[in-house]
Amino acid sequence: MHITDGDDLTIAGAVNTEETVKKEALTAELKKGTTSMSPRSFPLDKIRNIGIIAHIDAGKTTVTERILYFTGKTYKLGEVHEGTAVMDWMEQERQRGITITSAATTCHWKYIRINIIDTPGHVDFTAEVERSLRVLDGGVVVFDGVAGVEAQSETVWRQADRYHVPRICFINKMDRVGANFERCISMIKDRLRAKPLVLQLPIGKEDTFKGIIDLIGMRGWLFSGKADDPAQEIDIPENEEARCEEYRHQLIEGLSEFDDQIMNIYLEGRDISASDFKAAIRRVALANKAIPIFCGSALKNKGVPLLLDAIGDYLPSPADTPPLKGINNVTGFDVLCPTSDDAPFVALAFKVVSDPFVGRLVYLRIYSGKVKTGAQVYNSTRMGKERIGRLLIMHANRHEEIDEADAGSIVAAMGLKDTFTGDTLCETAKQVVLEAIKFPTPVISVAIEPKTRADRDKLGEALQKMTEEDPTFKVNYNEETGQTVISGMGELHLEVIVSRLMSEYKVEAQVGQPRVAYKETITSAVKGEGKFIRQSGGHGQYGHVRIELEPLDCGGGFQFEDKIKGGVLSKSYIQAAEEGIREAVENGGVAGYPVVDVKVTLYDGSYHEVDSSEMAFKMAGSMAFKDGVRKAKPIILEPLMKLEVVTPGQFLGDIIGDISSRRGNIDSIETFGDTMTIHCHVPLAAVFGYATSLRSMTQGRATHSMEFYRYQEMPAQLASELKSKLAGES
Ligand SMILES: Nc1nc2c(ncn2[C@@H]2O[C@H](COP(=O)(O)OP(=O)(O)OP(=O)(O)O)[C@@H](O)[C@H]2O)c(=O)[nH]1
Ligand SMILES: [Mg+2]
């Protein structure tokens, strides 16, 4: 079943519904394949830019693969477990059966164009979800029908909340033993604190799950399980009638709470038509007041066509999303960027990929205006001109060339040399900067030593490409030890990077054990002084600065203020001192870890007519900072992780005992039947290799999920042990 002849979608409430668009013509064109990605303007209100988001293994990629098949985009069903999923195209993804990098694609359903980004569920790749949610208009949140709302689903839900992304839920895996639709709904209510609008009920459960009841049309749909068999429409089975009436009633009540139009029809005792229903649900969903819920089994080809209808019906088009706010580069005033082809061009770069065949690709979400191949644009974040070489529509790792991209579209551009993730592109004459995307800091690192000189060169090049691609991946070269240290979000993240270095970039290197990325901060305000004075025979060196150091709140990063009174030091010496201070911040405080949450104020200094140089002031800055940190009661910060363990009750005692011995704190324990969910916080240093020990403790029957929570002070005893260990190593 590809593009179907099914009911028209009621895109009630969408812009231009009342028909600037010739639906039939468009549908026919799409069927023939004549409207491909071509450069023509696709009606804005018929575009859906959506992300598929969820906990690891919920079935996001499988849902996406089914969407591609049912929309006729692919002609073979892609399977994650067989390594044939189109969206999981990277070698690492196919080997491991997980998504690592978000992949974009475009397909058409009835007369809707759907731009999809399939995101990874593993928390180590959270940056991929963050950047996707930043540029998408709507989300499909997928749940495993057995596990319900898992830890990472909650995390992505909160991320979507932050970006105000309207979403719909798909309760997947209804065919699995233990699948429980009602339990999933109550978890959506309790854990996500969301208001569910149940629009479907499953017919049968587990291996007898065979279809879905649509509570709006009050019709049943049976799916044979074969992707090519059309769904069979049936009356609601007699034994389900009472349950359906009850749910429908709840739906009307739930909707009335948020929608006056439905409430009025209901209070007047009139029948609510399907289009009234759809229009009201769309209004409520777009306003993020309640969440439409659907169900099915992607793997068994059940329910996905109805989900596709729902994407058209209940998720926003770019025109429904409020205009994005940017800042005028010159005046500093707010600027609204309307989703319109006629407005000045504004786009956000949200992803950079080094493609081995086509080179450097920059993914763009175009918010306003259009852009043509060859156009000159302005990177307002870096204040430089850029030229767009070619424009592409991506389909996972393949692409199709276009010569123009419009407002509301998601495309990849070639030829941009100096544009990075989070940068804004706009017109030179109408400069605007959009808010950049915020990414978490890496918490774990590993040392890499290339085997030969040739490997060192290859390593440098590979790491540069990878840091461009992944904003949560950082590289530090330690001058003193000659070691390259890479940092990331977790063990899996670094493991994937190391595997890619070896298999994709053919670097041979010695890789150390993963280590915690500690940081340092100060706890009191102090003054520091740096004097760099050298008197040798001829020309000497003279640089002298006085600074003040103050602790900032957690997350405050590093701030620098110049309070030098006129003429005491020249601008170039001040800049050189700042540079020296910044380098010292990165190179580390008393224990050699980067210093965070500190403000440095440069307030005084002196220079020598002959001997002073920028170099001398850079040294003086660095010395002043080191002097200050030593006096400011520095402490070591360690990453604290949020850990969630789901286990059969019999292992609860052992798991809790183990967590306590790892300096963990239990926050709460939830019980669902015999399944216990333990929520706790544990320092990262104490949970290396946790997967292995949990597996052996529970015979592989417990699962866990861990994500970075925050940095916290390390206990003094452990901090001093760490310092003496470091002293011993150097
Ligand atoms: N029984 C059953 N298994 C499913 C269903 N959907 C997906 N799976 C299986 O669940 C596993 C994970 O599916 P994926 O589609 O890779 O899940 P994902 O959410 O993309 O996972 P990540 O991208 O790694 O977070 C695969 O083995 C799928 O075959 C379903 O409806 N029923
Ligand atoms: Mg996946």
Side-chain angles (χ1 to χ4, degrees), residues 373-394:
T373 311
Q376 195 185 69
V377 292
Y378 186 75
N379 181 327
S380 51
T381 312
R382 287 169 206 280
M383 299 197 269
K385 286 188 180 151
E386 283 268 46
R387 187 172 296 282
I388 294 202
R390 286 154 69 194
L391 285 167
L392 312 171
I393 292 271
M394 296 307 293

Side-chain angles (χ1 to χ4, degrees), residues 478-491:
N478 188 321
E479 297 273 353
E480 282 162 26
T481 60
Q483 256 185 351
T484 300
V485 177
I486 59 170
S487 317
M489 299 306 297
E491 286 175 274

Side-chain angles (χ1 to χ4, degrees), residues 261-272:
Q261 293 187 35
I262 282 289
M263 188 173 70
N264 290 338
I265 304 177
Y266 177 51
L267 290 180
E268 287 161 16
R270 286 189 281 134
D271 273 350
I272 303 174

Side-chain angles (χ1 to χ4, degrees), residues 55-62 80-81 98-99 120-121 172-173 175-176 297-299:
H55 189 86
I56 190 160
D57 262 2
K60 296 173 292 296
T61 304
T62 310
V80 174
H81 54 271
I98 57 164
T99 305
N172 187 33
K173 303 201 183 183
D175 61 298
R176 275 189 65 199
S297 162
L299 186 68

Side-chain angles (χ1 to χ4, degrees), residues 52 55-64 80 85 87-88 93 97-101 118-122:
I52 315 281
H55 189 86
I56 190 160
D57 262 2
K60 296 173 292 296
T61 304
T62 310
V63 168
T64 313
V80 174
M87 302 303 281
D88 282 353
E93 296 182 311
I98 57 164
T99 305
I100 292 169
T101 177
D118 173 31
T119 66
H122 197 287

